[in-house]
Amino acid sequence: MTLSVEQDVHVEVPATNPRRLTLRAQLVRSLRRYWQLYLLLLLPVVWFMVFRYIPMANAIIAFKNYNPIDGVWGSPWVGFDNFANLFRNPVFPRLVGNTFLLAAYTLIASFPLPIILALALNEVRLRFFKRTVQLVTYAPYFISTVVVVSMTILLLSPRVGILGRTLSFFGAGQVDLLADADFFRHIYVATDIWTTTGYSAVIYLAALASVDTSLYEAAKVDGATRLQKIWNVDIPALMPTATIILILGVGNIMAIGFEKAFLLQNALNLSTSEIIPTYVYKTGILNANFSLGATIGLFNAVISLVLLLVVNGVSKRVTGNGLW
Amino acid sequence: MTTINTEALLTEEIVVAKSKNRGRRRDPLSRGVKVKETRADRTFIIAAYLLLAVFLLVVVLPLLNIVASSLSSPQAVSSGRVLFWPVDITLRGYTEALGNPAIVSGFANSIFYTVVGTVISVFGTVAIAYPLSRTQLFGRKVITGGVVFTMLFSGGVIPMYLVVQSLGLLDTRWSMLLPNAIGVWQVIIAIVFFRNSIPDEVYEAAQLDGASELRILWTVVLPLAKPLLAVIALMYAIMQWNSYFDALLYLRSADLQPLQLVLRGLLVLNDIGGGGNVAEQLRRRELADLLKYSTVVIATVPMLIAYPFVAKYFTKGIMIGAVKG
């Protein structure tokens, strides 16, 4: 999972001209030679400017008192007032806590399962069975969040749902887990695992497929059991991939999905289900408080970026693996 | 479950015997020397099969329950009699869904967004990834860096909303097509693919023949890149078909809404519409329960049909992204 597309050596200066050309001259030459490629680049680059970089610039309204008449640049500055208000808001600690807990729980719970699935699949020789398991466990990844949540609601429904009925069969009366704040996180994580485990396992399977077979031979000669083989050959082979996935997961810890939390949310489970992204939507869009919404969003984005940088740095030092 | 596993173990011997001839066996030692599996190994492999069977059931059973319910009678669904097999089989749920104007228009809108959106996205991705894959292009490192950076940091929802608003895209079909047209991950996959699968000699040969850069892309590179195009097209198509957040943010008019938003109204908000006497309401509620199941199936089926055809390429696509080099 590499972010560096820039590994190859840059070959540019022609043999006839050993002196380094100035940047400007290089650009002119390149433009003349590859003008068609630059033409091709034009639209997507404009797109990135408009839909990715202008929003970054717009985030400046976190430091302003935004009003639609004056626009992003004309609205008056307020310095860190929005942030001060945010931090003083009694909702804020709960928001951060909910977001962090939900994300950390998701990360920890859904990290080992794909590895276990991949290791088990790797042991199985019956190809039909193996392929069926792979194809089926992979499929939920293609099911949309709305459908997954809809399914969850239907399955958990005390009246018609199969899980809901089972629960009320064993428990006392009708239990509606979705209306119970204590269960929100478990439901969220369970649906997450259901959706992504098969998909994530593919990545680990790819890593296992590239293991040098002589290592297995050596293990066999040494009389290793299957378990020892997994422990001493497979697991070390998976480490680099697992590290990268973990780093990305930690980097995204605050960027936990809006969609599912928002859809699973209801008035009764709000005390655990209100997370930063859903709050941003409600304050920013529904209540049209753009500045406050942008402030929370920016706070979140910065925390995520810092987390990513820190974890990547630590990982590079400890394991030698990193994103860049 | 136990029968599956003993069977699996028995068949494994056969598979191993067969694959020996095909030379597909992974550990070559067992080809000559017959290493007897220890008891621990046997237990272990049974555990692996069991584990996989459990995974399989956990994924399949909820799906089965939903599909079975969608094919059952309204009364059977409402009284909770459906498990994993339809009770009183009927297509009532589906005829009801297809008679619902909101679901039909949502379906049509989703198809429109998916088809047009995918075309725009694939074009945009190739247009940026192909030039950036050409090592001689001046300035490509700066542009690549700029693209990758957007993966790490973004302005956030509100600043993005302001851009869409100021471009006058709010509540237009464009708001579903443009704001998330290009995915950085897809761009990276495409760059790596172009770089690895097109040798430099191809460019030299084409240039000697006097082909222009765009002509090389069109007649040489793109035909070679069909697996890549299939992968990223599927990725984008799935994203578009499942897209819900953009619609929630930017669309107001009911006639522009994609199926996912209609589904949310139906299921999550329980927005059925009511009135009438008690018997009428009861009948309506029964139908509504059934309608939910069939709509869930309708919203999922197109992607699940597309998936097996491209799954092979798709796995390859993830691996391009996953494995270094």
Side-chain angles (χ1 to χ4, degrees):
Chain A
M1 191 168 290
T2 169
L3 287 181
S4 51
V5 201
E6 301 303 319
Q7 288 158 343
D8 53 316
V9 187
H10 193 60
V11 188
E12 176 56 41
V13 186
T16 46
N17 188 359
R19 274 174 303 155
R20 241 188 97 85
L21 293 166
T22 62
L23 288 179
R24 197 197 164 87
Q26 281 184 43
L27 176 64
V28 171
R29 269 175 45 126
S30 195
L31 271 176
R32 200 169 284 161
R33 175 106 170 60
Y34 297 115
W35 63 272
Q36 291 186 328
L37 294 184
Y38 285 105
L39 199 67
L40 206 55
L41 271 176
L42 190 66
L43 268 179
V45 167
V46 169
W47 182 89
F48 268 97
M49 285 298 161
V50 172
F51 288 107
R52 290 294 177 263
Y53 280 90
I54 293 182
M56 282 184 211
N58 278 355
I60 201 157
I61 64 167
F63 303 96
K64 291 183 164 218
N65 186 6
Y66 175 81
N67 65 71
I69 297 143
D70 295 327
V72 171
W73 299 104
S75 296
W77 291 95
V78 295
F80 284 89
D81 282 8
N82 290 324
F83 285 91
N85 284 335
L86 176 64
F87 296 147
R88 259 188 262 120
N89 191 331
V91 185
F92 182 70
R94 209 186 65 203
L95 272 186
V96 176
N98 280 347
T99 311
F100 181 79
L101 278 178
L102 189 63
Y105 183 13
T106 310
L107 183 67
I108 292 164
S110 60
F111 177 69
L113 278 174
I115 300 180
I116 295 171
L117 180 61
L119 287 173
L121 276 171
N122 200 42
E123 290 303 314
V124 163
R125 289 289 144 69
L126 188 61
R127 284 173 87 204
F128 170 75
F129 183 70
K130 184 173 172 172
R131 217 176 285 166
T132 309
V133 173
Q134 241 188 303
L135 204 69
V136 169
T137 53
Y138 190 14
Y141 183 73
F142 295 85
I143 298 175
S144 75
T145 312
V146 180
V147 169
V148 171
V149 170
S150 303
M151 282 173 50
T152 312
I153 292 172
L154 287 173
L155 292 169
L156 286 175
S157 154
R159 193 165 50 82
V160 297
I162 182 167
L163 285 173
R165 274 183 286 132
T166 316
L167 285 170
S168 51
F169 178 76
F170 288 112
Q174 299 197 332
V175 211
D176 190 359
L177 292 186
L178 277 167
D180 191 335
D182 292 339
F183 279 94
F184 171 78
R185 286 185 193 124
H186 304 306
I187 296 171
Y188 184 99
V189 169
T191 54
D192 212 72
I193 288 172
W194 187 79
T195 317
T196 58
T197 301
Y199 173 80
S200 313
V202 171
I203 295 166
Y204 292 112
L205 275 175
L208 282 176
S210 62
V211 173
D212 189 353
T213 45
S214 64
L215 290 174
Y216 289 121
E217 285 174 45
K220 198 126 201 176
V221 169
D222 290 344
T225 65
R226 275 175 193 267
L227 204 60
Q228 284 169 325
K229 191 206 75 185
I230 286 181
W231 190 250
N232 294 307
V233 180
D234 289 346
I235 301 270
L238 290 181
M239 279 307 286
T241 312
T243 319
I244 302 262
I245 288 181
L246 205 57
I247 297 174
L248 280 176
V250 175
N252 283 330
I253 204 163
M254 300 300 273
I256 186 120
F258 163 87
E259 298 196 352
K260 204 154 62 185
F262 186 68
L263 290 166
L264 282 171
Q265 219 168 54
N266 57 48
L268 296 167
N269 63 22
L270 215 55
S271 64
T272 51
S273 67
E274 188 79 292
I275 57 174
I276 292 177
T278 58
Y279 192 74
V280 167
Y281 173 74
K282 286 175 190 167
T283 347
I285 307 287
L286 294 185
N287 298 336
N289 192 341
F290 290 102
S291 279
L292 187 58
T295 307
I296 310 169
L298 189 63
F299 169 79
N300 208 26
V302 170
I303 299 274
S304 294
L305 185 62
V306 171
L307 267 176
L308 183 68
L309 292 176
V310 169
V311 175
N312 192 51
V314 170
S315 162
K316 268 187 106 166
R317 198 162 287 176
V318 175
T319 68
N321 289 308
L323 293 177
W324 55 84
Chain B
M1 218 180 288
T2 27
T3 45
I4 297 176
N5 280 287
T6 42
E7 247 176 44
L9 283 171
L10 285 176
T11 337
E12 192 202 8
E13 303 291 316
I14 304 166
V15 172
V16 169
K18 266 195 216 150
S19 57
K20 230 183 258 176
N21 304 332
R22 270 186 263 137
R24 296 207 53 144
R25 187 93 165 101
R26 208 185 41 196
D27 38 349
L29 259 193
S30 61
R31 222 173 277 176
V33 191
K34 178 86 184 162
V35 182
K36 190 138 174 63
E37 290 203 318
T38 63
R39 204 197 181 91
D41 281 352
R42 287 207 153 250
T43 327
F44 181 76
I45 203 110
I46 291 173
Y49 273 101
L50 263 175
L51 187 80
L52 292 178
V54 169
F55 261 114
L56 198 64
L57 287 179
V58 166
V59 171
V60 163
L61 290 184
L63 293 174
L64 271 185
N65 176 251
I66 300 283
V67 174
S69 300
S70 77
L71 289 167
S72 302
S73 75
Q75 294 78 19
V77 171
S78 280
S79 56
R81 279 187 284 132
V82 187
L83 281 176
F84 306 112
W85 197 254
V87 177
D88 311 334
I89 297 183
T90 167
L91 287 176
R92 188 77 192 281
Y94 292 96
T95 51
E96 200 68 26
L98 295 177
N100 182 320
I103 294 177
V104 172
S105 101
F107 197 84
N109 283 333
S110 278
I111 290 178
F112 173 82
Y113 295 135
T114 303
V115 172
V116 180
T118 305
V119 170
I120 293 176
S121 298
V122 170
F123 172 80
T125 307
V126 170
I128 194 162
Y130 176 68
L132 293 182
S133 75
R134 297 290 301 273
T135 43
Q136 308 91 329
L137 197 78
F138 181 80
R140 74 187 168 86
K141 287 191 180 188
V142 178
I143 300 175
T144 312
V147 168
V148 171
F149 179 69
T150 64
M151 223 175 164
L152 306 179
F153 187 77
S154 78
V157 174
I158 309 292
M160 183 72 170
Y161 181 86
L162 292 178
V163 170
V164 175
Q165 189 184 43
S166 64
L167 291 173
L169 300 182
L170 279 189
D171 210 25
T172 68
R173 288 186 189 275
W174 291 112
S175 66
M176 288 295 286
L177 302 172
L178 290 181
N180 288 311
I182 302 179
V184 177
W185 195 242
Q186 283 79 352
V187 172
I188 292 174
I189 291 176
I191 292 177
V192 172
F193 183 92
F194 285 134
R195 187 90 45 88
N196 288 348
S197 62
I198 320 281
D200 276 348
E201 289 76 27
V202 170
Y203 297 122
E204 284 165 25
Q207 276 155 9
L208 282 178
D209 290 344
S212 71
E213 289 293 338
L214 287 183
R215 199 183 159 79
I216 297 175
L217 173 64
W218 187 251
T219 57
V220 180
V221 175
L222 284 186
L224 286 172
K226 273 181 194 147
L228 171 86
L229 297 180
V231 170
I232 59 174
L234 183 73
M235 285 176 161
Y236 283 126
I238 288 167
M239 267 163 52
Q240 273 291 350
W241 181 266
N242 291 342
S243 149
Y244 151 76
F245 188 39
D246 284 357
L248 183 72
L249 274 181
Y250 306 132
L251 296 181
R252 297 284 168 272
S253 318
D255 58 322
L256 296 180
Q257 292 185 353
L259 189 57
Q260 305 295 337
L261 212 58
V262 176
L263 190 64
R264 176 209 177 218
L266 195 70
L267 271 135
V268 182
L269 304 181
N270 225 339
D271 186 11
I272 308 286
N277 55 40
V278 178
E280 169 68 18
Q281 274 178 6
L282 189 70
R283 198 193 64 86
R284 207 195 290 270
R285 198 173 78 170
E286 283 181 348
L287 265 182
D289 283 335
L290 179 60
L291 188 63
K292 290 174 184 174
Y293 285 100
S294 16
T295 315
V296 162
V297 176
I298 289 175
T300 312
V301 158
M303 282 305 109
L304 288 185
I305 290 177
Y307 154 66
F309 293 105
V310 214
K312 185 177 59 179
Y313 290 136
F314 202 78
T315 316
K316 224 180 271 172
I318 308 172
M319 289 177 185
I320 297 174
V323 184
K324 268 196 173 170

